[in-house]
């Protein structure tokens, strides 16, 4: 902050009545902080600072002295209140504050002037927020319009210094100086056209010269005043209308419309008929002068006049008014007041579904008593139908014929609607409905729901009981849909299983005349024919694949040991010095069943000493559990129970006598026993060969039958047979096969340890997990 001091304008010493007077001037900006030092009055007046207290140096109170305060000890003058130049001096040029200082003993009076200088602390402002100026569209370019100036309480460079106008094509800004003020003027650059643009928006900006500069904005709206410089214009040069004869009074014929780009009365349009219109026409039509609507005012007769040509004039209300005209053409139309009539001369209500295309069903004739186009009739059928109307050589005559194939099973009844429409405007129509039934012919073959069919039949079925039922559906009606069934018989030989089957002619129930044995026959097939009662009769057949399922109807058979009299007994001699785990003998057995029914388990029912011998429940091997001692008896009897795993288990027993001999005796007797044993083993080998031969023969027969079935099946039925022998010394075998989406295994007489049985297995048929797809439940009969 800068203070200006030591400006001594005048120092006069008067020696009059003991007074001394002097005056100095200080300058300080407005809005300085309270306490800011203005200057040292005592020093600038040349007073002795040390005598100020004794001489009672003070600032004499006045109207404005409260703004400043002096330190009576050192003579320093400082600001006591906020200094606002605009409030204190009310916008005058220089803002001077006069202060009076007094010293007593001797008395002296000094005058000090403080000038408050201006700062840019005010923003320019317009008195109005918006200025509206009205300019006629005939105003010539160069016309000036004074704009309100902006006010700024600041002085000099801090007040408004310049104005600017936003960019536009029609106006520019001119500034004139009037004394210290700058007055803005709006200058018209080009002629205004209200029809092109009725309002112009401008922005006037006032800017002061302070740093930083402040500005204010004034919105200016230019309203362009209209003059009558445009003629009314019709939307069309020629209007056309069609009016029916005998139209009711007051009916609106047409409405003409003209627009005038001017506004106010210059744009208001009135309508009138042209001056050369026949007076008779004026009696038939009226015109609304305000809206331009032409209405019927009399009786319109087509036979008198079929076309009216009217001239319509439109004028505005300007001074002078401007006019324009147009032509209205009214065509009178004959009234179509009679509907066509439809007559059916012949009709076939029952049409066979095998009727050929082009077959005539009915003859149709139509009439309309109107004349011209009002009497010309067109006939058509409603909807997408296998029928069509063909016009005859005679006008308004038609034939209803078949155009597409008929299928009673798809649509058995047709409701045909014939529409007769004349060519009037608006057209009139008449509807006629015909009902046609489609008669059935025997064109559908009885169909089975599935082919081939699978039958799973448990062996030992009751002869004469029902084992299966087949059903076929025929889409025809009555006798054409009455289905009868029969089985195709072969030559009647032993291998023709169809000879042992009987079928109900009417319901397709199949019964077996004999009991089937799985061990003899595992699978066979036969064919059923379904025939309808139509003429000629149609038929289809289906192949039924029969799979015999095993039951536990065979008890285990002991193969070893077998004595000379055929009983299951044997004697085994072993040295007394054998160690634990020594193989004493092996019980061999066979079960003609397969699967669980043929799965054999071995168990010790009786034994003289449980600590000496152990029996493997799966292989039938008998081994020693420990070494023999001197106290052990020389002969032991073992009773072995062999049973299968059927629902109702069947079993057999074998007795083994074990004799302990001294090593030398056993060696001496070995030659004698080897001969007998050789004969025994030859017998066992013979039985084993017979058994294996039988099983192999059954296996080959099954493979051949299943391969034949595979060749005769459709593409959606597959059957694979995989031989999977699981031989562990007990004559085990298995056959795997697939039927449709299921996989099966036939096992016999015993599966190896660890075989997996899944839910759904039955008897000797196991349902195996399918790696490709989860197996479904097996159907059993």
């Amino acid at each position: 902050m800068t203070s200006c001091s030591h400006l001594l304008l005048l120092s006069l010493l008067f020696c009059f009545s003991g007074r001394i007077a002097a005056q100095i001037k200080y300058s300080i900006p407005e809005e300085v902080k309270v306490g800011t030092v203005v200057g040292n009055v005592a020093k600038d007046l040349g007073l002795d600072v040390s005598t100020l207290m004794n001489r009672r140096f003070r600032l004499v109170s006045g109207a404005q002295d409260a703004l400043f305060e002096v330190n009576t000890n050192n003579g320093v003058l400082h600001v006591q209140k906020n200094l606002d130049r605009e409030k204190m001096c009310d916008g005058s040029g220089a803002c001077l504050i006069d202060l009076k200082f007094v010293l007593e003993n001797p008395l002296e009076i000094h005058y000090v002037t403080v000038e408050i200088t201006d700062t840019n602390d005010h923003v320019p402002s317009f008195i109005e927020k918006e200025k509206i100026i009205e300019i006629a569209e005939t105003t010539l370019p160069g016309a000036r319009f004074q704009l309100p100036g902006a006010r700024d309480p600041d002085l000099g460079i801090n007040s408004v210094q310049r104005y600017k106008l936003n960019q536009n094509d029609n106006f520019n800004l001119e500034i004139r100086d009037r004394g210290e003020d700058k007055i803005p003027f709006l200058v018209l650059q080009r002629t205004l056209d209200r029809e092109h643009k009725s309002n112009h928006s401008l922005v006037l900006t006032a800017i002061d010269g302070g740093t930083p500069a402040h500005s204010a904005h004034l919105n200016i709206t230019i309203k362009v005043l209209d003059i009558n410089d445009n003629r009314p214009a019709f939307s069309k040069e020629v209007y056309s209308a069609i009016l029916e004869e005998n139209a009711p009074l007051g009916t609106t014929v047409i409405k003409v419309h003209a627009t005038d780009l001017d506004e106010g009365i210059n744009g208001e349009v009135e309508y009138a008929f042209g001056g050369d219109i026949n007076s008779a026409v004026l009696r038939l039509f009226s015109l609304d002068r305000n809206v331009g609507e032409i209405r019927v005012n009399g009786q319109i007769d087509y036979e008198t006049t079929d076309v009216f040509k009217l001239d319509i004039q439109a004028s505005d209300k300007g001074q002078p008014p401007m006019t324009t005209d147009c032509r209205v053409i009214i065509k009178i139309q004959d009234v179509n007041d009679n509907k066509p009539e439809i007559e059916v001369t012949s009709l076939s209500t029952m049409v066979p579904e095998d009727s050929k295309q082009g077959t005539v069903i009915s003859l149709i004739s139509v009439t309309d008593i109107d004349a011209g186009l009002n009497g010309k009739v067109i006939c058509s059928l409603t909807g997408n139908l296998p029928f069509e109307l063909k016009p005859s050589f005679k006008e308004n005559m038609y034939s209803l014929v078949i155009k597409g194939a008929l299928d009673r099973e798809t649509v058995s009844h047709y409701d045909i609607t014939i529409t007769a429409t004349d060519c009037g405007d608006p057209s009139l129509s008449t509807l006629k409905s015909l009902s046609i039934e489609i008669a059935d012919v025997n064109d559908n073959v009885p169909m089975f729901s599935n082919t081939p069919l699978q039958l799973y039949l448990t062996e030992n079925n009751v002869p004469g009981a029902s084992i299966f039922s087949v059903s076929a559906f025929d889409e025809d009606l009555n006798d054409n849909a009455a289905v009868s069934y029969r089985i195709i018989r072969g030559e009647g030989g032993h291998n023709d299983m169809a000879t042992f089957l009987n079928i109900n002619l009417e319901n397709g129930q199949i019964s077996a005349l004999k009991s089937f044995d799985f061990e003899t026959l595992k699978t066979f097939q036969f064919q059923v024919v379904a025939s309808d009662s139509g003429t000629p009769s149609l038929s289809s057949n289906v192949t039924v694949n029969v799979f015999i399922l095993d039951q536990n109807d065979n008890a285990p058979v002991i193969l070893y040991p077998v004595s000379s009299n055929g009983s299951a007994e044997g004697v085994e001699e072993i040295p007394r010095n054998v160690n634990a785990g020594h193989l004493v003998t092996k019980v061999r057995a066979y079960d003609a069943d397969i699967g669980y029914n043929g799965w054999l388990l071995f168990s010790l029912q009786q034994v003289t000493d449980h600590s000496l011998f152990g029996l493997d429940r799966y292989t039938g091997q008998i081994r020693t559990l420990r070494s023999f001692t001197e106290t052990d008896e020389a002969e032991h009897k073992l009773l072995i129970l062999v049973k299968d795993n059927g629902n109702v288990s069947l079993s057999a027993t074998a007795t083994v006598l074990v004799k302990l001999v001294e090593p030398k005796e056993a060696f001496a007797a070995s030659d004698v026993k080897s001969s007998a044993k050789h004969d025994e083993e030859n017998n066992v080998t013979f039985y084993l060969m017979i058994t294996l031969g039988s099983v192999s023969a059954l296996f080959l027969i099954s493979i051949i039958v299943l391969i034949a079935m595979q060749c005769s099946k459709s593409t959606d039925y597959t059957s694979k047979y995989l031989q999977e022998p699981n031989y562990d010394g007990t004559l085990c075998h298995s056959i795997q096969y697939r039927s449709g989406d299921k996989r099966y295994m036939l096992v016999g007489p015993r599966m190896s340890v660890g075989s997996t049985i899944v839910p759904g297995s039955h008897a000797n048929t196991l349902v195996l997990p399918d790696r490709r797809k989860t197996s479904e439940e097996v159907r059993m009969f």
Side-chain angles (χ1 to χ4, degrees), residues 406-448:
L406 302 179
D407 186 4
R408 188 211 59 81
E409 288 70 36
T410 303
V411 180
S412 62
H413 176 83
Y414 290 95
D415 288 321
I416 301 175
T417 300
I418 301 174
T419 303
T421 306
D422 62 27
C423 298
D425 186 12
S427 61
L428 299 177
S429 299
T430 299
L431 303 180
K432 183 74 172 181
S433 296
L434 303 179
S435 181
I436 297 178
E437 297 288 339
I438 306 301
D440 183 52
V441 296
N442 192 25
D443 57 349
N444 288 280
V445 177
M447 297 298 296
F448 290 93

Side-chain angles (χ1 to χ4, degrees), residues 159-176:
S159 63
V160 176
Q161 298 297 309
R162 60 192 178 94
Y163 293 89
K164 67 177 183 178
L165 191 67
N166 65 306
Q167 183 68 32
N168 66 93
D169 297 331
N170 298 288
F171 301 91
N172 62 7
L173 190 65
E174 182 180 291
I175 307 298
R176 292 184 180 182

Side-chain angles (χ1 to χ4, degrees), residues 2-8 24-27 38-40 44:
T2 305
S3 65
C4 298
S5 62
H6 293 85
L7 180 59
L8 182 60
I24 61 175
K25 182 180 180 180
Y26 295 103
S27 179
V38 179
N40 194 321
D44 292 337

Side-chain angles (χ1 to χ4, degrees), residues 18 79 129 178 286 323 333 357 387 437 494 513 558 574 629 694 720 729 760:
V79 177
K129 295 294 183 181
R178 291 182 179 175
S286 64
T323 63
Q333 186 180 49
Q357 295 185 14
F387 306 98
E437 297 288 339
H494 177 72
L513 303 179
I558 305 298
I574 59 173
T629 62
S694 301
K720 297 181 181 179

Side-chain angles (χ1 to χ4, degrees), residues 9-25:
L9 300 176
L10 181 64
S11 296
L12 297 175
L13 299 176
F14 296 95
C15 297
F16 179 76
S17 300
R19 291 183 182 183
I20 300 175
Q23 186 171 355
I24 61 175
K25 182 180 180 180

Side-chain angles (χ1 to χ4, degrees), residues 587-663:
V587 178
R588 294 178 175 86
Y590 167 74
D591 194 318
D593 297 321
I594 63 173
Y596 280 125
N597 297 331
W599 186 358
L600 301 182
L601 295 177
F602 302 83
S603 61
L604 276 173
Q605 293 296 106
Q606 294 180 9
V607 61
T608 54
D609 191 341
H610 288 281
S611 66
L612 279 177
F613 302 99
L615 174 66
D616 189 303
R617 65 176 296 159
Y618 299 110
T619 63
Q621 292 180 351
I622 301 174
R623 295 182 181 273
T624 58
L625 297 178
R626 61 176 175 82
S627 300
F628 293 100
T629 62
E630 294 296 330
T631 60
D632 291 327
E633 296 180 4
E635 183 175 321
H636 298 272
K637 181 179 180 181
L638 285 74
L639 180 63
I640 293 92
L641 175 67
V642 182
K643 67 176 182 178
D644 57 31
N645 278 270
N647 290 334
V648 178
S649 179
L650 301 178
S651 62
T653 58
T655 302
V656 177
L657 296 176
V658 180
K659 294 182 178 181
L660 303 182
V661 298
E662 296 301 325

Side-chain angles (χ1 to χ4, degrees), residues 69-88:
E69 187 180 26
V70 67
N71 190 324
T72 59
N73 292 324
N74 55 21
V76 174
L77 181 67
H78 57 83
V79 177
Q80 185 176 0
K81 292 184 179 180
N82 181 50
L83 303 179
D84 188 345
R85 190 194 68 81
E86 287 74 28
K87 288 183 179 180
M88 293 186 299

